[in-house]
Amino acid sequence: MTNAHKHTIAIVDDHLLFASSLEKLIHSFPEFEVLFKARNGVELQRELKAGDHVPDIILLDLNMPVMNGQETLSWLTEIHPGIKVLVLSMEDDERTILKMIREGAKGYFLKDIHPNDLKEALLEVMDKGYYYSAKVTSTMVHALQPGSKSQPLNLKENERTFLQLACSEMTYKEIADVMNLSPKTIDGYRQELFNKLNIKNRVGLVIYALKNNIIEI
Amino acid sequence: MTNAHKHTIAIVDDHLLFASSLEKLIHSFPEFEVLFKARNGVELQRELKAGDHVPDIILLDLNMPVMNGQETLSWLTEIHPGIKVLVLSMEDDERTILKMIREGAKGYFLKDIHPNDLKEALLEVMDKGYYYSAKVTSTMVHALQPGSKSQPLNLKENERTFLQLACSEMTYKEIADVMNLSPKTIDGYRQELFNKLNIKNRVGLVIYALKNNIIEI
DNA sequence: TTAAAAAATAGGTAAAATCCTGATTCTCAA
DNA sequence: TTGAGAATCAGGATTTTACCTATTTTTTAA
């Protein structure tokens, strides 16, 4: 395959060591070449706006400072819908995976993917337009199953806000003040959540919020 | 540098993509060669016990299933004190860093290290016997400062146990039962921790425990 | 051995959390 | 317009937390 016909790739990852290593790996694939690397979404935007080089595929890390993976993906989906974005991440939780797919990622894999599988994934993305590993596929199926037990998505907006505030040292009365609601309403949210999530006290709320990425620590 | 005089390296990481990429990167350093890769501590032990090849340096990932980085490091320090272990990790919290250094790691760096710095680190480890980045060094200095505010280490054993149990849905009375102590003693632990950590309620305990890796979620 | 320090325990009280049941108010569609 | 359902709010009771001060027991060091 001549250089002119190689598929082009951009790597967006703030982990320099990983990005450079990945670049070398891809260099060993005759079908692909790395067009450029960026450390975050802002750098990527700069590169793309320069205009003279738009990659076929972007390998996008999820955890970046400045402009993280999700924001970058939203921007790409809107401005450069033609670029196929593959999300690279350490997180394998359902919530994160589904969020990225909904945002338009053409593929999602964990960083512990086997090098051979990466090559296969790149080829398949160029061929079919998407690549999802068995793990991610099963996650999607599971999420679509009716009655799958973990549905942290059906929280109402106020419940979600309350849940986040409940993970602080505020009393319920203080939370009520912040949310401009009666303490009794807050008490209602609390009870509703206890029932819905099958927990017994406020510590349970915190644990749940953490497990489901409702709050960050 | 002839092949016979290259410094030898082993990579222990369950992230195949990362390990393979890293191998390729190191391959581009004329002074070093990768002797073998292992996916976890157990595999590493197998390789080392085979006996015919002992590396100069081991690049050790911290987060592995089966036998994790810390266990592996303890074992290495005892059985193969001659091997220089460099810990590769995603965690940059003081607690983790210090723990590894105390366990005998000859270096500690985050996976976002620059490739050039990696090479420099490898050379320096062979030369001086250790390599610590500015970040890690400053962490050590900070930890040794008297009165540095974050000292999650000075928790007494019972306080620590209580703290872990307080991060569950148990009442303090139930915790007292489990720990075979009077509820009043538990109340004492609680109050002591509130003062020590400058927090106001049980949620504060949970947050603190999480931030300081006292519990896992 | 003994005094001092640390750990464990107690009593009492106020505040917050938890758990009911029921009453308004609001929203939205028929 | 109106009625059903959701959201909000209230009263009131019990349990758990949180906060004092003080005593007993255990451990440690001189």
Side-chain angles (χ1 to χ4, degrees):
Chain A
M1 184 172 271
T2 74
N3 211 45
H5 295 94
K6 284 193 178 189
H7 302 304
T8 54
I9 295 178
I11 299 173
V12 188
D13 196 318
D14 63 313
H15 294 75
L16 284 173
L17 182 55
F18 184 76
S20 297
S21 305
L22 193 56
E23 182 178 21
K24 287 207 187 302
L25 178 66
I26 291 174
H27 244 72
S28 72
F29 302 157
E31 299 90 345
F32 298 93
E33 65 170 339
V34 175
L35 210 54
F36 63 85
K37 293 180 302 210
R39 298 167 59 97
N40 53 58
V42 175
E43 274 194 24
L44 175 68
Q45 290 180 335
R46 246 201 309 272
E47 288 285 347
L48 289 176
K49 278 171 185 159
D52 50 339
H53 48 1
V54 173
D56 298 314
I57 298 174
I58 287 179
L59 293 179
L60 179 65
D61 181 34
L62 221 48
N63 308 310
M64 297 180 298
V66 186
M67 180 171 175
N68 68 28
Q70 194 183 349
E71 294 171 274
T72 307
L73 179 55
S74 312
W75 182 82
L76 281 170
T77 308
E78 179 162 6
I79 309 297
H80 290 278
I83 303 178
K84 297 160 186 47
V85 180
L86 300 185
V87 174
L88 279 172
S89 169
M90 305 292 292
E91 323 296 333
D92 70 339
D93 61 298
E94 185 167 314
R95 190 180 163 69
T96 306
I97 294 175
L98 292 176
K99 209 192 297 174
M100 291 305 107
I101 293 174
R102 288 205 191 89
E103 282 284 0
K106 294 292 187 289
Y108 185 108
F109 25 73
L110 305 181
K111 285 186 170 178
D112 65 350
I113 186 177
H114 190 283
N116 291 345
D117 292 341
L118 175 68
K119 182 172 176 181
E120 185 190 322
L122 291 175
L123 287 170
E124 196 160 319
V125 163
M126 289 312 301
D127 183 27
K128 298 187 186 169
Y130 64 90
Y131 172 87
Y132 293 119
S133 69
K135 154 88 185 169
V136 173
T137 304
S138 83
T139 298
M140 285 191 286
V141 171
H142 177 256
L144 297 176
Q145 299 283 341
S148 72
K149 55 183 178 303
S150 69
Q151 286 172 326
L153 312 169
N154 60 4
L155 291 185
K156 291 152 208 154
E157 194 54 35
N158 266 352
E159 279 181 344
R160 196 183 186 78
T161 305
F162 159 71
L163 180 50
Q164 288 167 339
L165 293 173
C167 296
S168 74
E169 293 189 45
M170 278 191 273
T171 66
Y172 290 141
K173 183 171 178 325
E174 288 169 335
I175 293 176
D177 286 344
V178 170
M179 291 183 69
N180 260 100
L181 289 168
S182 155
K184 285 301 183 178
T185 304
I186 296 299
D187 192 46
Y189 291 167
R190 183 197 53 70
Q191 189 69 308
E192 179 72 8
L193 280 175
F194 278 21
N195 293 337
K196 232 191 261 188
L197 308 178
N198 196 31
I199 56 182
K200 298 195 320 221
N201 58 31
R202 193 165 162 177
V203 174
L205 284 181
V206 178
I207 303 291
Y208 174 85
L210 279 161
K211 284 192 175 162
N212 293 91
N213 293 337
I214 311 257
I215 59 164
E216 297 286 330
I217 283 287
Chain B
M1 183 173 272
T2 73
N3 210 44
H5 295 92
K6 284 193 178 189
H7 301 306
T8 53
I9 295 178
I11 300 173
V12 187
D13 197 319
D14 65 313
H15 294 77
L16 284 173
L17 182 56
F18 183 76
S20 297
S21 304
L22 193 56
E23 182 178 21
K24 287 208 187 301
L25 177 66
I26 291 174
H27 243 73
S28 73
F29 302 158
E31 299 89 348
F32 298 93
E33 66 170 337
V34 175
L35 210 54
F36 62 85
K37 292 179 302 205
R39 299 165 60 95
N40 53 59
V42 176
E43 273 194 26
L44 174 68
Q45 290 180 333
R46 245 202 310 274
E47 288 285 347
L48 288 177
K49 279 169 186 161
D52 51 338
H53 48 359
V54 173
D56 298 314
I57 298 174
I58 287 179
L59 294 179
L60 179 65
D61 182 34
L62 222 47
N63 308 309
M64 297 180 297
V66 186
M67 180 170 174
N68 69 28
Q70 193 183 347
E71 295 172 273
T72 307
L73 180 55
S74 311
W75 181 83
L76 281 170
T77 309
E78 179 163 3
I79 310 295
H80 290 278
I83 302 177
K84 298 161 185 48
V85 181
L86 300 185
V87 174
L88 280 171
S89 169
M90 305 291 292
E91 322 297 331
D92 70 340
D93 61 296
E94 183 167 315
R95 189 181 164 69
T96 306
I97 293 175
L98 293 175
K99 208 192 297 173
M100 292 305 107
I101 293 173
R102 288 204 191 89
E103 282 285 0
K106 295 291 186 290
Y108 185 110
F109 24 72
L110 305 181
K111 286 187 169 175
D112 65 349
I113 187 178
H114 190 284
N116 291 344
D117 293 339
L118 175 67
K119 182 172 175 179
E120 185 189 324
L122 291 174
L123 287 170
E124 196 160 318
V125 163
M126 289 312 301
D127 183 29
K128 299 188 186 169
Y130 65 90
Y131 171 86
Y132 292 118
S133 68
K135 155 85 186 171
V136 173
T137 304
S138 84
T139 298
M140 286 191 287
V141 171
H142 178 255
L144 296 176
Q145 299 283 341
S148 72
K149 56 184 174 304
S150 68
Q151 286 172 327
L153 311 169
N154 60 4
L155 291 186
K156 292 151 205 152
E157 193 54 35
N158 267 352
E159 279 181 343
R160 198 184 184 77
T161 306
F162 160 70
L163 179 51
Q164 289 167 338
L165 293 173
C167 297
S168 73
E169 293 189 44
M170 280 190 273
T171 67
Y172 290 140
K173 183 172 179 320
E174 289 169 335
I175 292 175
D177 287 344
V178 170
M179 291 183 70
N180 260 96
L181 290 169
S182 154
K184 284 301 182 179
T185 305
I186 296 299
D187 192 47
Y189 290 165
R190 184 198 52 71
Q191 188 69 333
E192 180 72 9
L193 279 176
F194 277 22
N195 293 337
K196 232 191 259 188
L197 308 178
N198 197 32
I199 56 182
K200 298 196 318 223
N201 58 31
R202 195 165 161 178
V203 173
L205 284 181
V206 178
I207 304 291
Y208 174 85
L210 279 161
K211 284 191 174 162
N212 292 91
N213 293 338
I214 311 255
I215 58 165
E216 297 287 331
I217 282 286

